[in-house]
Amino acid sequence: MNGLVKAEFRKIFTTHLWWALLLPVAVLSFLAGWGGAALGQTDLVLEMTRGQKLPTGLLTMSLSTNNVTVFAVLLGALAVTGEYRQKTVTTTFLTANPRGAVLGAKLIAYTNVALLYGLVNALCSSLGGLVGLGADGFGELPQWLMVGGAGLLSMVLWTLVGIGLGALVTNSVAAVLIILGYLLVFEGMASSALTQTPVSWLTDYLPGEASSGIVGNVSVPMFISDVAGAREPFVSKTAFQLLHSAFGGSYGFPWWGSLLVFVGYAAVFVAGGWLATAKRDIL
Amino acid sequence: MHDGSGRILVQGLHKSFGPIEAVHNLNFSVEPGSVTGFLGPNGSGKTTTLRMVLGLIRPTSGAAYVNGQPFSRLPNPATVVGAVLDSQGFHSGQTARTHLRCYTAALNLPDQQADRVLELVGLSSAATRKTGGFSLGMRQRLALATALLGDPGILILDEPANGLDPEGIAWLRGFLKSFASTGRTVLVSSHLLREMEHTVDNVVIVSRGRCVYNGGLEQLRAGQHSRVLTRVSDPAALVTLLNQEGMTAEYLPDGRLVIPGTDSGRVADLALRAGVAVQEMQDENLDLEQIFFQLTSGQYTGGVPTGPAHPPPNADPWAPSGHSGPGGDPPGLGQGYQRTSAEQHRHGQDDNGGHGGNA
Ligand SMILES: Nc1ncnc2c1ncn2[C@@H]1O[C@H](COP(=O)(O)OP(=O)(O)O)[C@@H](O)[C@H]1O
Ligand SMILES: [Mg+2]
């Protein structure tokens, strides 16, 4: 198994996919951090908060995470479909038994790469925040670590979802279309269709919503409690909802609840990919 | 755990892709110490069979064993069996060496093994070049190098000569022979018997997913595959008797009869019994290529009308009659001879015309 994981690392770092997808993560994270911080510095906000320093960095890290996890799921999916496209999957399966061992090795290796992605995201969005905001926009260190840690979790889980999905569909183009189509189009439509129905709570359980809740349900309550201090119990639900809609999560939903839901999705995709891989004819 | 025998065993293997039956009840074994050719025209099920042996395709029924185990139960399979299936399995951005080092890692082998196999296949000078720029011949060599990484006792190659220049083919032949001469097993497929004639000791010949011959190449070449060309006074009478005896015959354009799977002595006996005068009689041995063609033709010629003088009593000359061991009589031979060559296809249909002009 060690050998298989080492093999996966070699496949990763001798080809370009990992940095081709990490590059936009770095850039977008930086821009999200910078732009978000600048937003917190506008006159309107400063006036509303009576000049109080806001830990906006926590929110923008959340925003940036939820925007770049798409690259994590693409990474995971293309990691698997790439082997089918390049036909290296034949040799891969000829050198490992059972096939599931290869998938296991990929899960381990790509978890590490996803942690790297999460780290780059946390650092770049914070760097953007520093540039736009200065050092005191991030709250306390434990707060920063918590939001950053939630971001790492989200990034890792998305990568695992991607690996499972890639193992299920095996075709790169199909995988990319499914991922982008779902995240950019379908889930938004599904959520808005659900809002006016008695089952609107279901939206919290959709994959995109659940994953952004992992970070958003940490950062938003943290931000509000920082800003409101003793007045926190009197902060209106609307204020929460406004922030949640921008930075992920939903009012009153615990971050670990989102985490559990999304772990469930990751498990389903990985299990599906596992089964499909074991049965598939490699032609 | 495997038994280390170096034997490949295929038992009752079937594979259907939807309505297409790619492999039908294949049985054969491949022994160590020799090169076995796996021969058949395109689409006869060679690739499908080899991939089933290697655990890449799941058989519809039946099983294949490598060293006494199904592939999926071999621990560290690449140290048992190496395979060259197509020359495509490379990431175009990787160099030959980085490609190989992915698999030395997977196999827990020292990285020097990558350079060792590159040298073995004569690719050392291309070690640091990206595989995207490789010629087909170089890809075949790199695929072979990959197969050799785990120093396996069994080597399986699917049409490895494709894309190799004559020099490369000659080199490959020598390589396979010396590999087998160390007591290891080689199973190599080809759609051209000629390509393999001087390399293989044994052959498994498939046609339309069925085994039509399994045994030594020499036995295949040997005399029982002769046919008789004869001119007699009353061909129709002889043909009637031949058919009664379970044999077939066909008219050549010049009016002679072709009687496959027999010799002149037997035909002379029958001519006497039929009361016809023999004007001319000739034994003819087929060369390997003709035998191969005869064994495997029919795959794509179903629509071409062929003209045996009378329908052969055994209507399906391609039915699997099991497989014979070395020295056994290859099933299918001696039947359906009308398909021996393209020329005879063309003339086979005007049987009576040809006869009439010459009798
Ligand atoms: N994936 C597939 N789907 C459908 N039919 C297939 C597939 N692979 C092979 N076949 C069919 O199975 C038969 C055997 O193919 P193959 O094993 O590739 O033959 P060979 O390697 O001897 O040329 C052919 O009729 C081919 O069209
Ligand atoms: Mg083939």
Side-chain angles (χ1 to χ4, degrees), chain B residues 100-122:
Chain B
L100 288 169
R101 285 191 177 179
C102 290
Y103 300 106
T104 54
L107 296 170
N108 292 311
L109 294 169
D111 284 343
Q112 300 90 286
Q113 181 68 2
D115 291 332
R116 216 168 292 148
V117 291
L118 280 176
E119 196 178 327
L120 219 50
V121 302

Side-chain angles (χ1 to χ4, degrees), chain B:
Chain B
M1 282 295 136
H2 59 84
D3 60 14
S5 62
R7 183 178 295 115
I8 299 170
L9 186 62
V10 166
Q11 281 185 338
L13 216 49
H14 279 266
K15 179 66 186 184
S16 299
F17 295 105
I20 301 169
E21 196 176 36
V23 172
H24 178 91
N25 193 28
L26 268 193
N27 294 284
F28 64 85
S29 73
V30 179
E31 303 295 330
S34 61
V35 180
T36 301
F38 189 38
L39 306 170
N42 289 323
S44 55
K46 301 183 297 297
T47 299
T48 306
T49 303
L50 296 183
R51 284 189 175 256
M52 285 194 283
V53 170
L54 293 163
L56 294 168
I57 293 182
R58 181 182 283 249
T60 306
S61 66
Y65 303 90
V66 177
N67 277 8
Q69 291 287 336
F71 183 92
S72 60
R73 292 238 290 274
L74 295 174
N76 225 351
T79 59
V80 174
V81 51
V84 178
L85 289 180
D86 50 40
S87 47
Q88 297 184 308
F90 317 111
H91 191 292
S92 53
Q94 282 186 322
T95 67
R97 185 181 280 141
T98 54
H99 159 80
L100 288 169
R101 285 191 177 179
C102 290
Y103 300 106
T104 54
L107 296 170
N108 292 311
L109 294 169
D111 284 343
Q112 300 90 286
Q113 181 68 2
D115 291 332
R116 216 168 292 148
V117 291
L118 280 176
E119 196 178 327
L120 219 50
V121 302
L123 268 187
S124 293
S125 59
T128 55
R129 279 174 55 188
K130 297 206 164 168
T131 64
F134 276 21
S135 69
L136 195 50
M138 291 168 80
R139 290 166 163 271
Q140 286 287 25
R141 284 172 191 257
L142 183 54
L144 179 59
T146 312
L148 293 172
L149 264 184
D151 195 21
I154 301 174
L155 203 50
I156 292 180
L157 307 96
D158 193 15
E159 311 250 2
N162 285 354
L164 287 183
D165 51 24
E167 192 190 339
I169 292 178
W171 171 83
L172 182 71
R173 283 179 183 152
F175 181 87
L176 295 182
K177 278 187 161 176
S178 72
F179 187 90
S181 70
T182 59
R184 291 184 278 186
T185 312
V186 177
L187 177 61
V188 53
S189 84
S190 174
H191 63 280
L192 295 172
L193 177 62
R194 204 181 303 116
E195 195 173 80
M196 286 296 138
E197 196 178 336
H198 304 293
T199 316
V200 302
D201 313 300
N202 299 307
V203 287
V204 175
I205 301 180
V206 287
S207 171
R208 294 194 294 188
R210 291 149 203 259
C211 183
V212 292
Y213 179 78
N214 175 10
L217 191 62
E218 282 318 309
Q219 285 84 353
L220 182 63
R221 213 193 297 262
Q224 69 262 40
H225 306 299
S226 60
R227 60 178 188 172
V228 175
L229 303 180
T230 183
R231 191 188 303 280
V232 294
S233 58
D234 184 357
L238 181 57
V239 166
T240 307
L241 183 61
L242 285 169
N243 287 166
Q244 280 166 16
E245 294 291 315
M247 297 160 76
T248 60
E250 186 198 344
Y251 290 96
L252 286 183
D254 65 7
R256 284 187 298 172
L257 279 173
V258 185
I259 305 149
T262 184
D263 56 44
S264 51
R266 173 124 172 85
V267 174
D269 280 350
L270 290 170
L272 190 62
R273 268 174 56 192
V276 300
V278 176
Q279 297 153 347
E280 198 183 320
M281 177 110 75
Q282 183 189 349
D283 274 308
E284 199 177 75
N285 281 316
L286 296 172
D287 68 21
L288 267 182
E289 198 64 34
Q290 285 173 297
I291 295 169
F292 178 58
F293 191 84
Q294 186 230 335
L295 279 170
T296 60
S297 65
Q299 178 160 326
Y300 296 115
T301 53
V304 179
T306 54
H310 299 278
N314 307 337
D316 184 4
W318 317 110
S321 2
H323 62 107
S324 52
D329 215 21
L333 276 186
Q335 303 169 6
Y337 228 113
Q338 64 278 8
R339 287 163 170 156
T340 302
S341 74
E343 189 190 353
Q344 285 173 25
H345 278 309
R346 252 176 281 127
H347 295 293
Q349 30 194 312
D350 64 353
D351 48 12
N352 285 317
H355 164 215
N358 285 279

Side-chain angles (χ1 to χ4, degrees), chain A residues 3-4 6-7 10-11 14-15 86-88 90-97 99 278-283, chain B residues 15 51 55-58 71-72 74 77-78 85 88-92 94 101-106 108 111 146:
Chain A
L4 292 181
K6 190 168 157 193
R10 287 188 174 182
K11 288 180 196 169
T14 55
T15 54
Q86 307 268 2
K87 300 213 176 215
T88 51
T90 299
T91 313
T92 297
F93 287 155
L94 288 178
T95 46
N97 248 338
R99 291 181 188 176
K279 292 203 163 141
R280 177 173 297 122
D281 283 348
I282 309 296
L283 299 164
Chain B
K15 179 66 186 184
R51 284 189 175 256
L56 294 168
I57 293 182
R58 181 182 283 249
F71 183 92
S72 60
L74 295 174
L85 289 180
Q88 297 184 308
F90 317 111
H91 191 292
S92 53
Q94 282 186 322
R101 285 191 177 179
C102 290
Y103 300 106
T104 54
N108 292 311
D111 284 343
T146 312

Side-chain angles (χ1 to χ4, degrees), chain A residues 123-139:
Chain A
L123 292 177
C124 286
S125 76
S126 301
L127 198 68
L130 274 179
V131 170
L133 198 72
D136 46 0
F138 298 100

